[in-house]
Each structure stands twice: as C-alpha cells, then as structure tokens.
Amino acid sequence: MAGLMSLGLFLLPRPGSALQTVTGNETAIVRVSNRDLNRFVAPHRLRKGFSNKPIEVTVDGNEAYVNIPPTIAGPVELHLLTERETYTLLLIPAPIPAETIVIRGGTELHPAPGSGDYIRQIKSLIRAAANHVPLSGYDAILIADAREECPVNECSLIAVWRYTGRDLAVTEYRLSNPTKEPRVYRETLFARQGTRAIAIEAHHVGPGSATRLFRVEGADR
C-alpha cells in the first residue's frame, strides 16, 4: 500500500490547480473564463443548469461545465438547480484561465478539492477500500456482472467493489493485461469526467496478470 498511496495517487481535475469557493445561500459574483471550460461543483446532485444568456451548460452528477463564448458580454446569471435547492451565481467573463468553482451549501463544511484535508480524505478512503475496511458512513457493495470499462484494447478493467458515502464513492477495479507483452498503465489513461482521483497498485503488469485500480468520484456518479 505504500506505493499506492504515494506514487500511485492521481488527483483530478486541476485545472491549473486554481480554485474558488463560494457560499450557496446568497448570490455570488464569480470571475470566469470566456476562453476555457469552467467547472462548478455543487454540494448535491444537479438536475439542470440554465442562464439568462446563450451559454453552454452541461450537468454531470454534482458538477456543471460552463462554456461562455468571447462574444457574450457580462454579467451572466447562472442558475444551478439541485435536488434540494437552486444556487444563483453572477458570472463575470474575462479572458483568464478557467478555475474550479466549489459551491458550499449554506453552513455545510466539506473539504475543498485541492486542500490538505481533502487530499487526506481521498487517501484515507482509498486506503480503507484497498484493505476492504470501509470508513464509517460508507456502504460496501460487491458488484456482480460488471461491464468492461477499459478505454483501450490493451487492458481489461472490471469493477469489483464500490464503497459509497454521502459525498464520495470509491470503486475498486481489477485491471488486467490480456496481451502477450508486459504493459505499463498510468492513472491518466483512466481519467474520465467526474473523476476526483485514481490510484493504481502496480503500474507494471505482466502478460496475463492483473493489479487493482481505485477510482474516487462523487457519490451521485
């Protein structure tokens, strides 16, 4: 587990490690990029997002991805409707790099992505899953009849266990090498939208052999 918790942990997404945090119980004014895709993280699963201007809003779990063309002048009202409440943000577009905007739900205090507490939480969750000892508040589910999830032909990725809590979930996969040659698998190969972190137990996998991969996502994924 030492290698898994050090070299094998890949946190996503960055972008550029930039991060803003706003409180969802009042209209927040947020500077956003009009050249890159902006990511918003809500405290609950999103049902939809809409705006008073023709911008692109894509919802995935508790995350929203917002594209504002340079031709759109601000400010732009963004409304994110969750299963519990609606958050309103006033976006100020500018030609700046995109950031991740984390919305805190009222007085709820959860570790923000990128913070030391958040990274420790991710590591503890993966360590518990690797030892098959789920953390308090997490339900363990043995996955039957899982489908193939490897994004390339040179591997096989099958979900085995899933540990789900209120905000996060970690899935343990069996990562196999079906080829006749040794393979090196890196965490970046398995990154997908909504992934918070990935850890691979052994990057070098011999022909016909397997290792374990752990993927952390939002609980609503």
Side-chain angles (χ1 to χ4, degrees), residues 19-216:
L19 180 74
Q20 295 187 55
T21 302
V22 298
T23 301
N25 56 7
E26 58 186 18
T27 301
I29 300 176
V30 183
R31 293 188 73 220
V32 294
S33 174
N34 62 3
R35 68 184 190 189
D36 299 323
L37 191 64
N38 300 280
R39 173 176 176 257
F40 295 79
V41 180
H44 312 293
R45 183 179 181 84
L46 288 166
R47 296 175 60 186
K48 67 177 182 178
F50 54 95
S51 173
N52 66 328
K53 295 192 177 181
I55 64 175
E56 297 178 15
V57 182
T58 303
V59 169
D60 181 14
N62 70 323
E63 300 177 359
Y65 296 85
V66 177
N67 181 42
I68 302 178
T71 54
I72 301 294
V76 178
E77 290 184 10
L78 174 65
H79 306 278
L80 298 176
L81 177 63
T82 73
E83 296 175 336
R84 301 187 184 184
E85 55 190 317
T86 299
Y87 301 108
T88 299
L89 299 98
L90 197 62
L91 310 182
I92 309 298
I96 59 176
E99 295 185 341
T100 293
I101 296 92
V102 177
I103 304 171
R104 297 281 183 90
T107 58
E108 295 180 26
L109 296 177
H110 301 300
S115 69
D117 288 342
Y118 176 80
I119 295 173
R120 283 191 291 272
Q121 179 184 6
I122 293 292
K123 287 186 175 182
S124 296
L125 181 56
I126 293 176
R127 184 182 295 110
N131 292 324
H132 295 291
V133 182
L135 296 174
S136 176
Y138 281 79
D139 296 324
I141 300 175
L142 179 63
I143 301 174
D145 301 323
R147 61 182 176 84
E148 175 62 62
E149 296 187 38
C150 187
V152 295
N153 294 326
E154 292 79 17
C155 77
S156 174
L157 187 67
I158 302 293
V160 181
W161 285 91
R162 183 174 174 85
Y163 304 89
T164 305
R166 188 183 67 173
D167 301 308
L168 295 174
V170 58
T171 304
E172 176 188 336
Y173 295 86
R174 177 180 172 84
L175 174 59
S176 306
N177 176 10
T179 73
K180 297 181 180 180
E181 300 292 334
R183 294 289 179 185
V184 178
Y185 299 114
R186 299 297 182 188
E187 285 82 3
T188 51
L189 175 65
F190 305 97
R192 68 185 185 192
Q193 193 172 13
T195 300
R196 307 294 182 84
I198 296 175
I200 296 178
E201 197 164 29
H203 294 95
H204 297 262
V205 182
S209 298
T211 185
R212 295 189 297 173
L213 180 146
F214 298 88
R215 184 197 306 277
V216 179

